[in-house]
Amino acid sequence: MAEPHAITLAEAKGTTELHVEPSALGITAAGWVALSMLFVIGLMLWKKVPQLIAGMLDTRIATIRTQLDEAAQLRGEAERLLAEAKARSAASAGDAAAIVAHAEAE
């Protein structure tokens, strides 16, 4: 059985459809988007937003550097305290051994 073919409106009338892109002041939608984007970028440069962001980043970098320096200082102090604790532990172990030996001798 033969399948019926759908006939489109353009085929029936023998014309093609033309679409006109809307525009305002001779500029299409894509042109308005480009103009508004340029305006926003220009406004950001005029208000010195990149310098403001750079200043904020520099401040954050300085804060992180001071925190890293403080952390390095604390680590050095902790290592020194650990070495002292190990020395005390070794000394007390020696003292304990001496006490045990003295107790066994008596």
Side-chain angles (χ1 to χ4, degrees):
M1 192 149 201
E3 293 183 23
H5 294 343
I7 299 175
T8 62
L9 183 63
E11 291 174 353
K13 291 186 177 181
T15 61
T16 58
E17 295 182 32
L18 297 177
H19 295 283
V20 178
E21 223 177 288
S23 64
L25 301 175
I27 302 173
T28 62
W32 284 109
V33 169
L35 281 175
S36 62
M37 196 167 72
L38 287 175
F39 176 74
V40 168
I41 290 172
L43 184 66
M44 288 174 56
L45 292 175
W46 179 57
K47 290 293 185 176
K48 298 183 178 159
V49 173
Q51 289 88 352
L52 179 66
I53 292 171
M56 290 169 47
L57 288 175
D58 289 342
T59 304
R60 182 70 177 141
I61 288 169
T63 303
I64 291 171
R65 279 198 182 127
T66 57
Q67 289 174 347
L68 285 173
D69 292 342
E70 183 181 341
Q73 248 180 352
L74 290 173
R75 181 185 173 110
E77 184 179 340
E79 287 175 350
R80 182 183 54 80
L81 290 173
L82 178 64
E84 288 177 8
K86 283 183 179 180
R88 277 194 310 253
S89 176
S92 63
D95 290 345
I99 291 172
V100 169
H102 180 55
E104 287 176 356
E106 287 188 6

